[in-house]
Amino acid sequence: MASPVRVRFAPSPTGHLHVGGARTALFNWLFARHHRGAFVLRIEDTDRSRSTDENIVAIVDALQWLGLDWDEGPPTPGYRQTERFAIYREHAQRLLASGRAYYCDCPPELLDRERGVAQQRGETFRYSGRCRDRGLGAGALRLRIPTAGATVVNDLIHGPVTFEHSQLDDWILVRTDGTPTYNFCVVVDDVTMSITHVIRGDDHLSNTPKQILCYEALDYAVPEFAHVSLILGKDRSRLSKRHGATSVQAFRDSGIPADALVNYLARLGWSHGDQEVFSRAELVELFDIKNVASSGAVFDATKLEWLSQLYLKTMDGARLAELAEPFVRAVGLTPPPDRPRFIAMLDTLRERAKTLVELVEQGRFYFERPAAYEAKAAQTLLTVEGARRLGLVIARLEGAPEFTVAAIERVFRALTEELGLKLVDLAQLARLAATGRTASPPIFDVLALVGREESLVRLRRAREAAERTA
RNA sequence: GACCCCGUCGUCUAGCCUGGCCCAGGACGCGACCCUUUCAAGGUCGAGAUCGCGGGUUCGAAUCCCGCCGGGGUCACCA
């Protein structure tokens, strides 16, 4: 039996969780859950100037919101690089003792000059190896890599990718000031955390051969690698803020259900035949890293919205109420204390909104009287004739034996018939009165949900408004 | 510039490994129609890809080979 799968997501807390990072996290999580392995969260905060605790909280929040739970990681200590310096130091010592690493005291100015020369000659800069055999006792610690041959990265998504050693150089493991570099930390962390599969962004593919050489120098087994393509913006360059909303936080705030975002992100680059909609369980069951596309994918907010609406439309009512409530409160309104009634209101709204923000916006009349009437509609509907019709509707509704959707509909249909009108003539009038707008959920449902008393208040107010303008 | 990755409808993709079932399928978006008390939702139909380009191999290529072009990523004592 193969050793248990262990993967990790290692964000750098220099900002909020980006959708690209979220997708990488998702693929790791799916891989771990599919293989019944462990998902580790590790914080790469060696860049102290840009890393903040607030960002760590934000990233943790975003991951939890997405439902990507980790088996190991914060708040348990030992999963932040800044807590692991002793481990890096120890590994550096080992490399030095075995002769696989050496000190270098080349001044930065010299390196810069050499870099400049290499650039002019149109070559990739490589450290000259000047200090390789000087046996220095201090300075920056460099990894001694083989001069000949090549290192092959057997990528699970890309297949074998070969890098000639002549293109690589003796890179720095530990800086002169004693701090370890990112590439070194990653190797040591992945090794000491027994990571079996490194699933990360494509932008790390070029670093991989250097890291593999470090594993080998340390005499550790090399993990499997899978480099996921980047998420692109409309112009096909790496998705960034200038392409619009990119943080998970922003999508949450705009009222997109976490399940919809997860579904969208999963489908962006990964596929299972023609299937577009997946439950969590299906995702876990069907996910296979081999079906992850190797090409970059443009982020399509419109398709995300389609999924968002689909989830709003189909999710459980109680769950929807739970998700919608904070959005109702966020605009200063209050959902009715009667939960089934609140859910019934949402049921009339859910297929009309792409996000929870939109849903609340379109349904605010359920929680407050319309403050104004749509100007154009008021002009054509709130007339003398409109006032007369509203009066008739009010009278019939007052006398109706009950105030159910069916009863209200009977009143409207009968009146329509008697007046020789079309249903739309009365419906739009009532709609404007009850909601202030010309577009809303079915008006009989709206009236029933708003209740007899409040409905009549709104109809009377509209009649008064009509009489005023007349 | 060097190295590496990528290249199927506007977008996400299936198909590519194991050539023919593909003059290329699905989804989003778009258009039309149907349904209809408005708006949505739903249903039906439709437009949309000479499979980046050019050579080869083959009876036959989106699928195999070569070259080119285009896009992206990486080249730090950043992460």
Side-chain angles (χ1 to χ4, degrees):
Chain A
M1 189 164 162
S3 59
V5 162
R6 288 176 60 83
V7 295
R8 58 24 170 221
F9 175 56
S12 166
T14 54
H16 284 199
L17 183 61
H18 182 268
V19 285
R23 187 176 63 144
T24 302
L26 173 62
F27 286 173
N28 272 286
W29 183 84
L30 288 173
F31 189 80
R33 295 291 170 261
H34 178 85
H35 293 285
R36 310 249 150 112
F39 177 52
V40 179
L41 175 63
R42 182 172 78 221
I43 305 296
E44 307 209 322
D45 59 348
T46 43
D47 183 354
R48 289 180 141 140
S49 57
R50 292 191 298 157
S51 299
T52 67
D53 284 354
E54 294 76 68
N55 284 332
I56 295 180
V57 170
I59 289 170
V60 161
D61 269 5
L63 252 16
Q64 282 172 339
W65 178 71
L66 288 169
L68 307 183
D69 56 322
W70 50 98
D71 305 293
E72 294 173 30
T76 305
Y79 291 90
R80 289 174 61 159
Q81 291 184 329
T82 44
E83 299 168 329
R84 302 169 59 82
F85 282 126
I87 303 173
Y88 308 135
R89 205 169 305 127
E90 178 198 319
H91 280 81
Q93 269 319 116
R94 237 172 69 200
L95 251 14
L96 183 63
S98 66
R100 307 303 297 264
Y102 61 91
Y103 282 118
C104 162
D105 67 356
C106 291
E109 307 79 59
L110 174 67
L111 266 17
D112 284 345
R113 211 177 318 133
E114 290 183 348
R115 204 187 327 279
V117 172
Q119 207 137 58
Q120 296 227 300
R121 299 212 335 242
E123 287 168 9
T124 302
F125 169 70
R126 295 175 54 247
Y127 171 60
S128 66
R130 180 177 303 98
C131 301
R132 271 197 152 201
D133 303 307
R134 291 175 64 201
L136 264 26
L141 192 67
R142 287 184 184 272
L143 181 70
R144 190 191 304 274
I145 68 153
T147 46
T151 288
V152 177
V153 178
N154 277 308
D155 195 276
L156 263 22
I157 292 171
H158 294 279
V161 182
T162 304
F163 294 85
E164 297 294 331
H165 290 166
S166 59
Q167 296 297 347
L168 274 22
D169 72 348
D170 291 351
W171 55 284
I172 292 176
L173 303 165
V174 182
R175 300 182 187 95
T176 305
D177 67 5
T179 58
T181 60
Y182 166 78
N183 280 118
F184 184 50
C185 291
V186 169
V187 170
V188 173
D189 286 338
D190 286 340
V191 148
T192 54
M193 291 182 181
S194 307
I195 298 304
T196 57
H197 301 257
V198 174
I199 303 171
R200 77 230 300 194
D202 234 353
D203 48 340
H204 292 287
L205 185 52
S206 303
N207 285 327
T208 309
K210 289 175 163 187
Q211 294 178 188
I212 287 178
L213 257 8
C214 187
Y215 279 97
E216 291 173 351
L218 248 8
D219 208 27
Y220 282 127
V222 179
E224 301 283 346
F225 291 97
H227 289 92
V228 177
S229 71
L230 266 18
I231 295 184
L232 279 21
K234 280 259 173 277
D235 59 359
R236 299 205 77 90
S237 71
R238 188 192 194 132
L239 187 71
S240 67
K241 325 83 242 145
R242 77 197 153 76
H243 292 108
T246 56
S247 76
V248 170
Q249 173 93 48
F251 291 106
R252 168 173 39 175
D253 292 347
S254 72
I256 288 179
D259 285 341
L261 220 209
V262 164
N263 194 146
Y264 177 73
L265 255 17
R267 231 358 231 94
L268 193 63
W270 171 78
S271 61
H272 181 258
D274 286 339
Q275 193 171 345
E276 295 286 350
V277 182
F278 300 85
S279 66
R280 278 301 158 125
E282 283 178 305
L283 244 23
V284 168
E285 189 200 326
L286 301 171
F287 185 77
D288 185 340
I289 196 78
K290 288 183 176 57
N291 292 127
V292 173
S294 53
S295 52
V298 175
F299 190 85
D300 182 4
T302 308
K303 188 162 182 182
L304 204 211
E305 286 181 342
W306 165 71
L307 273 169
S308 178
Q309 178 167 42
L310 188 76
Y311 275 83
L312 290 178
K313 217 163 59 187
T314 55
M315 78 171 68
D316 173 74
R319 174 69 180 147
L320 177 61
E322 205 177 300
L323 294 183
E325 177 156 4
F327 284 87
V328 173
R329 295 192 184 281
V331 293
L333 300 173
T334 312
D338 178 357
R339 208 60 170 179
R341 185 155 158 259
F342 182 39
I343 292 172
M345 289 171 170
L346 297 175
D347 281 339
T348 70
L349 261 16
R350 65 201 310 175
E351 65 187 24
R352 297 178 160 71
K354 293 188 181 70
T355 66
L356 290 162
V357 166
E358 242 183 64
L359 181 144
V360 168
E361 173 49 36
Q362 287 172 6
R364 51 186 309 145
F365 60 83
Y366 276 130
F367 319 111
E368 66 174 1
R369 262 174 214 164
Y373 300 112
E374 232 171 72
K376 261 194 86 176
Q379 208 169 21
T380 56
L381 291 171
L382 300 184
T383 58
V384 178
E385 174 61 12
R388 188 178 76 90
R389 291 176 189 176
L390 278 169
L392 290 167
V393 169
I394 291 165
R396 295 290 176 98
L397 251 20
E398 279 170 336
E402 48 177 10
F403 206 71
T404 60
V405 174
I408 296 168
E409 177 158 7
R410 271 196 297 278
V411 166
F412 273 79
R413 296 235 181 246
L415 199 52
T416 298
E417 187 103 358
E418 292 169 32
L419 298 175
L421 296 170
K422 285 201 227 149
L423 187 55
V424 65
D425 298 321
L426 253 31
Q428 284 304 76
L429 200 52
R431 195 183 315 279
L432 189 67
T435 72
R437 305 180 190 180
T438 52
S440 83
I443 189 59
F444 310 135
D445 294 72
V446 170
L447 260 17
L449 250 10
V450 167
R452 170 155 13 203
E453 212 175 310
E454 176 64 18
S455 290
L456 288 171
V457 169
R458 295 186 186 185
L459 290 165
R460 288 191 195 107
R461 289 176 133 228
R463 182 180 53 178
E464 284 159 23
E467 283 165 347
R468 265 201 305 281
T469 55

